[in-house]
Amino acid sequence: MPADTTVQVLALETLENGTERARVSGAGTEGLSLKFLSALARTPGPLTLTRETTARGVSYLRASSTALDKNAPLAVVVHGTGYNAGVWIPALEEWHDLATERGAGFEVAALEWTGHGRSRRCRERARASARPRDAALSAGPPRGSASDEIECEVHVAAGGASTMSTTFGPPSNARHVATMKKIAEAVARGLEPPLPDVSGKYDGRLLVLDDANHNIIQEDAEWTATFVDASLARMSENLDS
């Protein structure tokens, strides 16, 4: 395979003998060993990825730096429904690079929800309940709900090109942003825009990335890492002040 061959990685898998392989398209074959794709991958540097499982069967990826500061806090990240912790890997690599530039420690646990990835399956299927989440969004946060009681900082971002999660009528990107703005007004705390070095525009306390859909983590790993890194830096500043 020529050095300038462009391929798309479809999936990563570990064989019974421990060999890691990648299924790819565009190279004329599938099942190439990862060592043949090394020229296509970023230099991994000191970031270490390990998979761990809790006693209750919850699987997660732990990403850490070999130069980890023992005082560095553990950040927990979660995936959206239907996905797994792997969607965070590109963003974790970008985020690690940002932290390394500052000489900061880095440790993250990417959780896999029950029934997702390698976490244990749900013991029983939840009963249908007339979509209570949608009803709650339409009605707004109830009196005395946890969103009125949140004390930690919460920063909210949304893709301006998405048509998901609307509560104001037929799907459209404008209605999606309006819905996310309503959520941000209910839960966002401590965010005084703008966050440094983070692209996008603010609509109240909601940061909108115009060209992104609702899968920002997968669509733009670099932006995701910058947003998370800047958010944590702002939180640390506010805690120290």
Side-chain angles (χ1 to χ4, degrees):
M1 182 172 66
D4 59 350
T5 299
T6 299
V7 302
Q8 179 184 8
V9 179
L10 302 177
L12 301 177
E13 58 186 9
T14 302
L15 304 183
E16 292 182 359
N17 62 5
T19 301
E20 289 186 321
R21 299 172 73 88
R23 289 200 306 107
V24 301
S25 65
T29 186
E30 291 190 355
L32 295 179
S33 173
L34 288 184
K35 66 181 181 181
F36 294 117
L37 298 177
S38 59
L40 305 175
R42 63 179 296 280
T43 302
L47 178 66
T48 301
L49 284 171
T50 58
R51 181 173 289 277
E52 301 181 25
T53 304
T54 69
R56 295 191 175 186
V58 176
S59 177
Y60 62 97
L61 287 176
R62 183 178 290 272
S64 60
S65 169
T66 55
L68 178 65
D69 178 357
K70 293 182 179 180
N71 295 320
L74 173 66
V76 178
V77 298
V78 296
H79 57 83
T81 182
Y83 297 108
N84 57 58
V87 302
W88 275 98
I89 293 177
L92 293 179
E93 292 174 338
E94 296 285 352
W95 188 7
H96 168 70
D97 289 347
L98 291 174
T100 301
E101 290 176 3
R102 299 195 309 274
F106 184 90
E107 187 169 19
V108 176
L111 176 72
E112 289 186 326
W113 293 112
T114 300
H116 293 73
R118 298 185 185 179
S119 287
R120 64 177 176 82
R121 296 180 180 180
C122 298
R123 293 184 177 179
E124 60 183 23
R125 189 179 299 274
R127 297 179 179 178
S129 55
R131 297 179 65 86
R133 177 179 176 275
D134 289 352
L137 287 177
S138 299
R143 184 176 301 176
S145 68
S147 63
D148 298 324
E149 299 171 0
I150 294 176
E151 296 182 358
C152 65
E153 290 192 33
V154 178
H155 299 178
V156 183
S162 176
T163 59
M164 297 288 289
S165 302
T166 77
T167 61
F168 302 111
S172 75
N173 56 348
R175 292 190 178 101
H176 169 74
V177 171
T179 298
M180 294 303 300
K181 182 179 179 182
K182 185 175 182 180
I183 293 173
E185 290 171 350
V187 302
R189 299 287 186 274
L191 176 59
E192 295 297 333
L195 288 172
D197 302 321
V198 180
S199 61
K201 65 181 181 182
Y202 287 90
D203 190 344
R205 288 184 175 270
L206 175 67
L207 177 58
V208 181
L209 191 60
D210 279 337
D211 296 333
N213 211 296
H214 57 277
N215 293 322
I216 297 178
I217 298 173
Q218 297 98 304
E219 293 178 52
D220 197 330
E222 183 177 1
W223 186 92
T224 299
T226 303
F227 173 68
V228 174
D229 190 67
S231 295
L232 291 178
R234 175 65 59 81
M235 294 177 189
S236 297
E237 292 173 2
N238 291 344
L239 286 175
D240 294 336
S241 62

